[in-house]
Amino acid sequence: MKLKLVKFLSPSLIVLPIVVNATSCSGSAGIVFGNFESYMSPSLIEVLQKEVSNSNFLSYSTNEDIQIKFKKYYDIAIPSTYTVLELIKDKELAKFDWSKFNVEMSPDRTNNQHPPLQNPSDRPTGIIQNAKQAEWLFSDTVDRVIDSVDEYAHQEKIYDNNESLLDYALPYFLQDLMFAYHGSYIDSLPSPSTLHDDPNDNRWYSNTDWNNITNVISKKNNPNFDQRFTPSNLSKMMMIDDSRTVYDYCHLIHTNNAGINPSKEEENIRSITNVYKSLTDKYDPNTFRLNSDSYQVMYSFATPLDKKQPTLAEANGIISYNGDALNAITGGGNPDWINTWSSDDSAYDGHMPDHSGNTHIVKPLNTPVMMDMLVMNKKDQGTNKETDLYKMLRTVALDGCQLSWQTTQGSSEQWIGSQDDEGNWIYQTTNNFSYVVYNPPLWNLNTFVSRDEEVSTEYNSYFDKMYKDLPEQERNNKAELCAEINTVNFSNGLLELPLDSVMKSDMSMVYTQYKEQM
């Protein structure tokens, strides 16, 4: 799930949510938009408030909060995929009429890799009419995630076999779990795979897994332990404090990469205990500092321990989401570290040197993937709110989806990377990405960000534009590193699925006991 992501803003730029009375989403309070805290660009919130004057924004901390409060309090919310399935099962979500979004596909999207184009006539033309056509709007990774969720939902009879997740939810952002560390390169963590043309290839992922990483950073009974991660070190390891995320990590270790979701046989306290115990068996007490605020994890990794040791951070290593790691290695809001990356090309070996030239990021194979999605309350279907809700959803998730991902020098045509004379992003999906920096789901924006095509880098890559004032080689190096971190690949078994209430309660109870030992 998305936890807190905070950017450093001047007070004049901070947009605080408007708090409304907890009455009902159909009451006089207007439209209520629920979201995880700081998970949307303040300038996008301003745009939405101008589009729909009676819109109000509320924040919540967990997916469980959404599930409990959605029906009564929210018109729109952004839950993670497993909570979307719970809300569909509870019949709380509106089914989209895709024609009301009034969007078309990018002209560049000539071949949908997943599923592969069987017939040129399969390519939708004109206004997107349904969820099946809408698949073409999104990246191949999103399409694979949706196919996996649909297979599960059809099997569990959550929705009909002729329905899709896109009938009920719009992709917002993707994220995956990764490991980052400061200091010298660790030889025992293998280098990433070489690049391939195969779009399904894990092109930015190391040929390693969480077991290998854990063996390097854990001290118990491990002669190959790396001393920089010792619990007595002032610079601690940090990790997201979330029972489900930690369970995902532990389950991959415990089962030797057999996915992140418990099997039916594992849905009991004894099995949950054994999964969490796999972590405490590996690590000495007090190895980790756990924090539910991903900003704190990110900032600790980006902040020097003290001014006399600027290359030693408050956290020598972190287990975090890719967007938070990307923020950290580009300074994490710390003005002393921003834009001071090493341009030493020899350091580029898939482990990504950051601003200090002394930081590396490992994206393991078989790592948890999360997708957050926009949903609409079923109670709003057919009401006078519906038109405004479709307008807001379109602005947040689909703005610019009909445009090209690229441009040519001197062209005046609009494209997904268009900016105004002051350098502001014109299309709100790009604007919002520039704030959140998680993996964007729209195909044209994802291509613009990921450098997935042969691009004229000076004009056609988001990260190249970010570093446009640097010398060409340095710009290329930094843009490539950022694109690597942002990329998300997906395999079945690595997306969180719903848990029943007993399993959730047992997991929370066992986690509370075991995190005291960490």
Side-chain angles (χ1 to χ4, degrees):
M1 83 181 77
K2 177 68 180 74
L3 300 173
K4 299 177 185 176
L5 175 64
V6 178
K7 298 283 185 176
F8 281 73
L9 302 169
S10 66
S12 63
L13 293 177
I14 296 176
V15 179
L16 296 176
I18 299 174
V19 179
V20 299
N21 293 328
T23 53
S24 169
C25 69
S26 59
S28 60
I31 288 174
V32 180
F33 194 128
N35 194 2
F36 293 104
E37 186 175 349
S38 302
Y39 195 22
M40 183 176 289
S41 165
S43 60
L44 173 54
I45 293 176
E46 289 183 346
V47 168
L48 294 173
Q49 289 175 324
K50 289 177 181 178
E51 282 187 350
V52 180
S53 59
N54 64 338
S55 56
N56 308 281
F57 293 81
L58 291 177
S59 62
Y60 41 70
S61 300
T62 68
N63 276 284
E64 288 63 39
D65 288 343
I66 309 171
Q67 191 172 352
I68 293 169
K69 300 175 182 177
F70 179 79
K71 184 176 182 178
K72 186 175 182 180
Y73 298 131
Y74 301 122
D75 298 292
I76 294 174
I78 303 181
S80 300
T81 309
Y82 69 89
T83 302
V84 173
L85 292 175
E86 297 277 14
L87 294 172
I88 296 173
K89 190 174 181 180
D90 293 340
K91 302 186 183 306
E92 295 183 17
L93 298 187
K95 185 174 179 179
F96 293 142
D97 177 350
W98 267 90
S99 67
K100 292 182 178 180
F101 289 121
N102 193 32
V103 295
E104 299 183 41
M105 187 178 65
S106 168
D108 301 335
R109 183 65 150 158
T110 57
N111 185 13
N112 191 3
Q113 297 289 350
H114 188 83
L117 180 63
Q118 300 296 328
N119 189 310
S121 63
D122 291 343
R123 185 184 186 277
T125 58
I127 301 299
I128 297 294
Q129 298 293 322
N130 53 56
K132 184 64 176 175
Q133 292 182 352
E135 287 185 10
W136 288 70
L137 297 173
F138 301 104
S139 70
D140 295 332
T141 299
V142 170
D143 287 346
R144 286 195 291 274
V145 171
I146 290 171
D147 282 355
S148 175
V149 173
D150 284 348
E151 182 179 355
Y152 170 83
H154 295 158
Q155 179 181 333
E156 297 295 320
K157 302 187 184 306
I158 295 173
Y159 46 78
D160 293 341
N161 287 348
N162 62 346
E163 291 183 321
S164 164
L165 186 62
L166 288 176
D167 280 308
Y168 296 94
L170 288 171
Y172 185 61
F173 281 106
L174 289 90
Q175 51 196 299
D176 62 1
L177 202 65
M178 59 194 303
F179 171 61
Y181 64 95
H182 291 304
S184 59
Y185 175 80
I186 298 175
D187 293 331
S188 56
L189 294 180
S191 297
S193 57
T194 56
L195 304 188
H196 295 284
D197 294 329
D198 180 0
N200 296 320
D201 180 66
N202 295 310
R203 72 186 189 109
W204 297 131
Y205 285 65
S206 303
N207 290 325
T208 191
D209 58 24
W210 283 109
N211 271 303
N212 291 344
I213 293 170
T214 302
N215 288 337
V216 170
I217 63 179
S218 62
K219 185 177 181 181
K220 277 188 177 180
N221 305 315
N222 181 12
N224 298 317
F225 169 71
D226 193 297
Q227 292 297 320
R228 82 189 79 180
F229 305 117
T230 181
S232 62
N233 196 322
L234 289 175
S235 182
K236 299 287 187 183
M237 282 282 298
M238 287 200 74
M239 188 175 182
I240 297 294
D241 184 3
D242 173 65
S243 60
R244 189 76 190 265
T245 301
V246 176
Y247 182 90
D248 296 345
Y249 169 46
C250 293
H251 197 266
L252 287 169
I253 296 171
H254 182 68
T255 63
N256 195 25
N257 299 312
I260 62 174
N261 295 293
S263 64
K264 295 293 185 184
E265 293 73 22
E266 292 177 309
E267 293 181 353
N268 56 75
I269 288 183
R270 176 178 293 180
S271 293
I272 296 170
T273 300
N274 288 336
V275 169
Y276 282 121
K277 187 174 180 292
S278 64
L279 197 59
T280 56
D281 284 347
K282 290 278 188 179
Y283 293 106
D284 280 339
N286 204 31
T287 296
F288 285 99
R289 281 185 292 158
L290 296 165
N291 199 306
S292 61
D293 187 341
S294 61
Y295 153 71
Q296 291 293 343
V297 177
M298 175 268 289
Y299 189 65
S300 294
F301 190 66
T303 303
L305 191 62
D306 61 59
K307 292 182 179 180
K308 296 179 180 179
Q309 301 181 78
T311 61
L312 182 62
E314 290 180 1
N316 248 351
I318 56 171
I319 294 174
S320 74
Y321 300 121
N322 60 335
D324 303 325
L326 182 56
N327 270 297
I329 74 157
T330 53
N334 187 322
D336 295 330
W337 283 30
I338 290 177
N339 294 327
T340 56
W341 277 11
S342 165
S343 59
D344 179 9
D345 191 42
S346 65
Y348 173 53
D349 51 12
H351 284 63
M352 289 151 277
D354 74 337
H355 40 272
S356 68
N358 202 33
T359 295
H360 315 277
I361 294 178
V362 185
K363 302 195 77 172
L365 293 167
N366 301 312
T367 197
V369 172
M370 297 82 176
M371 184 165 72
D372 297 325
M373 309 188 79
L374 289 138
V375 296
M376 183 198 303
N377 198 311
K378 187 176 182 178
K379 288 186 174 182
D380 292 320
Q381 278 186 312
T383 70
N384 56 5
K385 288 184 178 182
E386 188 181 68
T387 299
D388 284 339
L389 294 176
Y390 272 101
K391 183 189 299 184
M392 295 179 79
L393 290 168
R394 184 189 191 281
T395 297
V396 174
L398 301 171
D399 193 32
C401 67
Q402 77 282 5
L403 299 170
S404 174
W405 64 269
Q406 60 184 328
T407 190
T408 55
Q409 186 174 8
S411 173
S412 60
E413 290 188 10
Q414 294 288 294
W415 63 297
I416 196 64
S418 289
Q419 295 172 281
D420 63 21
D421 293 340
E422 296 179 354
N424 301 309
W425 302 104
I426 292 176
Y427 295 96
Q428 293 307 314
T429 47
T430 312
N431 171 38
N432 199 31
F433 165 77
S434 72
Y435 179 80
V436 178
V437 296
Y438 278 19
N439 184 263
L442 281 184
W443 177 83
N444 55 353
L445 179 55
N446 190 280
T447 305
F448 172 48
V449 169
S450 68
R451 301 174 118 224
D452 234 1
E453 304 282 346
E454 294 180 1
V455 299
S456 173
T457 55
E458 186 174 355
Y459 303 102
N460 290 333
S461 160
Y462 173 88
F463 292 113
D464 285 289
K465 290 172 78 71
M466 176 188 290
Y467 296 109
K468 61 183 175 62
D469 296 329
L470 296 177
E472 181 177 1
Q473 186 60 54
E474 187 174 3
R475 184 187 73 231
N476 285 339
N477 291 345
K478 293 183 179 181
E480 190 79 350
L481 301 181
C482 289
E484 291 181 26
I485 300 169
N486 187 262
T487 298
V488 171
N489 285 293
F490 172 73
S491 299
N492 286 339
L494 296 174
L495 186 79
E496 292 176 346
L497 296 175
L499 303 174
D500 64 36
S501 58
V502 175
M503 181 70 178
K504 288 179 184 177
S505 176
D506 290 346
M507 183 179 290
S508 177
M509 180 181 66
V510 175
Y511 176 68
T512 301
Q513 296 171 353
Y514 269 86
K515 78 175 185 178
E516 294 177 0
Q517 302 177 34
M518 295 173 61

